[in-house]
Amino acid sequence: MRDALRPTRPIRLSPKVLRTEVLAGLVVALALIPEAISFSIIAGVDPAIGLFASFTMAVVISVVGGRQAMISAATGAVALVIAPLNREHGLGYLIAAVILAGVFQIVLGVLGVAKLMRFIPRSVMVGFVNSLAILVFMAQVPELLGVPWAVYPLMVAGLGLMVFFPRVTKVVPAPLVSIVALTAITVAAGIAVPTVGDKGALPSALPVPGLPDVPFTLDTLTLIAPYALAMALVGLLESLMTAKLVDEITDTRSSKTRESVGQGIANIVTGFFGGMGGCAMIGQTMINVKVSGARTRLSTFLAGAFLMVLCIVFGPVVSEIPMAALVAVMVMVCFATFDWHSIAPKTLKRMPVGETAVMVVTVVCVVVSHNLAVGVVVGSVTAMVVFARRVAHLANVTSVLDPDGGQVVYCVTGELFFASSNDLVEQFNYAGDPDKVVIDLSAAHVWDASSVAALDAIEHRYAQRGKNVEITGLHGPGAHLHRTLSGELTGGS
């Protein structure tokens, strides 16, 4: 635990790095505003609630989180979980659930839930990334329907700037240039297109801490606990998967345990400041890390700080930003996030069918349910089934009969567990074998009680025919498991 919570080594903030972090934080802050407002609408709360959550989540996680440069804020996944609670019981209960979810996340982090990440296979991870890119793109589609025709050339111009401007210079992030340029064009030319201000009113003051307006009783606890637990699990899953993705992009390690605890602390603080809670955001994280090149906690902190400064100080200016500019940024993020190599014909031809199937199942489940947790869980279970079917055939049995016909030796090779051991019982000639049977397991591994039960069943079938069975070659944990459980798994023998 001590090593897991140890902070990662900070990157030296040279003038070049500082400039990158500051500009990246500004771009992310601009992109956070419409997202936070949209998620507030999903949760059924005032836009200020989502913006406050994005501010406090980003600032707190920049200090206590385990993954540098990752952005945490109000998210759609969390909004979907807590929306029914707010709709049926009100904002006070939503805030209480956010605080309790933070407590759950701290407990889960201390208990080592982050270690479960090792059981998520690469095919699920690829499906997770691709499905997120699809969801982010789908979220932009409504902004392109039923809008003035000027939106489309503005968006194309924004995409063009982000593609070609880096060839001129990378000193200033291309998304920031695109946002500023399109805003200047629409304001100067008086082009009437949807703007950030159309999404909702921006807050005019900082949030103040306070307790949720609910009775502090056992009834309240039992009411909010299921929502809080669901929020805690969804938030941790999305945050840990995003952290793992950033690890791969930046070729650095992060503390998943510290990130789990940090998410809990951030949600508790967010709840006490009246926010709707949140978790890591894949889209904004990709803007920060992949598009803008940020690598430190400073960019995360500044994203939250700039968010409030933009809302409170520059609210009228920010309200004039055309949504077309932010849609262009998010579309570019989608293309940068999607793993195009995973669907290339050459890759699909070489990749095992099971691996591709797991990726597709993950993508379909996430896109259909709009729930990342559902996709990752179903994808992981599918991967386990595919793996079990694959290794179930790795247990082979060969027999050698002594020349005098008095003994037969069966050599078992491979992995014996619940899937492969089911077929093991049927691979012996109980009626035709001589009175002495040797089962050599020196080239096999016994992994579970199902395998021990299968060996007991084999011995029992031979015993019914008056034949003696000798099991040899067991070693290590398999030998201990067999010694402990043999003869104890059925009540009748």
Side-chain angles (χ1 to χ4, degrees), residues 306-470:
F306 282 149
L307 175 64
M308 280 294 98
V309 172
L310 289 170
C311 290
I312 296 172
V313 181
F314 300 102
V317 176
V318 172
S319 296
E320 295 298 324
I321 296 175
M323 286 301 300
L326 297 176
V327 169
V329 172
M330 297 311 296
V331 169
M332 183 62 69
V333 169
C334 297
F335 279 94
T337 302
F338 195 91
D339 188 350
W340 297 101
H341 178 72
S342 67
I343 60 172
K346 184 183 293 186
T347 303
L348 295 175
K349 185 177 180 180
R350 295 179 178 178
M351 189 70 67
V353 175
E355 298 284 324
T356 303
V358 169
M359 180 192 72
V360 172
V361 166
T362 304
V363 171
V364 170
C365 288
V366 172
V367 172
V368 170
S369 68
H370 284 242
N371 191 321
L372 298 169
V374 170
V376 171
V377 170
V378 174
S380 298
V381 171
T382 303
M384 292 176 189
V385 172
V386 170
F387 174 77
R389 285 178 60 86
R390 186 180 302 160
V391 300
H393 304 292
L394 297 181
N396 298 311
V397 179
T398 57
S399 62
V400 177
L401 183 66
D402 280 0
D404 60 3
Q407 172 181 291
V408 63
V409 177
Y410 284 93
C411 294
V412 182
T413 60
E415 310 300 321
L416 299 181
F417 67 112
F418 63 89
S420 60
S421 59
N422 288 333
D423 297 330
L424 184 66
V425 179
E426 306 303 327
Q427 299 191 48
F428 294 82
N429 185 5
Y430 301 100
D433 284 341
D435 291 341
K436 185 174 183 182
V437 179
V438 177
I439 302 177
D440 182 7
L441 298 174
S442 57
H445 294 90
V446 175
W447 291 107
D448 60 5
S450 297
S451 304
V452 177
L455 294 174
D456 283 353
I458 294 168
E459 289 186 272
H460 181 65
R461 289 195 184 187
Y462 277 116
Q464 286 180 322
R465 295 167 173 79
K467 300 176 182 181
N468 180 51
V469 176
E470 179 185 0

Side-chain angles (χ1 to χ4, degrees), residues 196-222:
V196 171
D198 297 330
K199 285 288 184 179
L202 301 180
S204 57
L206 289 171
V208 293
L211 295 175
D213 184 18
V214 295
F216 294 91
T217 63
L218 183 60
D219 288 340
T220 298
L221 182 62
T222 55

Side-chain angles (χ1 to χ4, degrees), residues 170-234:
K170 294 184 179 180
V171 173
V172 181
L176 180 59
V177 174
S178 177
I179 292 171
V180 172
L182 295 189
T183 302
I185 290 172
T186 55
V187 172
I191 302 174
V193 291
T195 64
V196 171
D198 297 330
K199 285 288 184 179
L202 301 180
S204 57
L206 289 171
V208 293
L211 295 175
D213 184 18
V214 295
F216 294 91
T217 63
L218 183 60
D219 288 340
T220 298
L221 182 62
T222 55
L223 174 64
I224 66 174
Y227 295 96
L229 182 59
M231 176 184 163
L233 293 174
V234 169

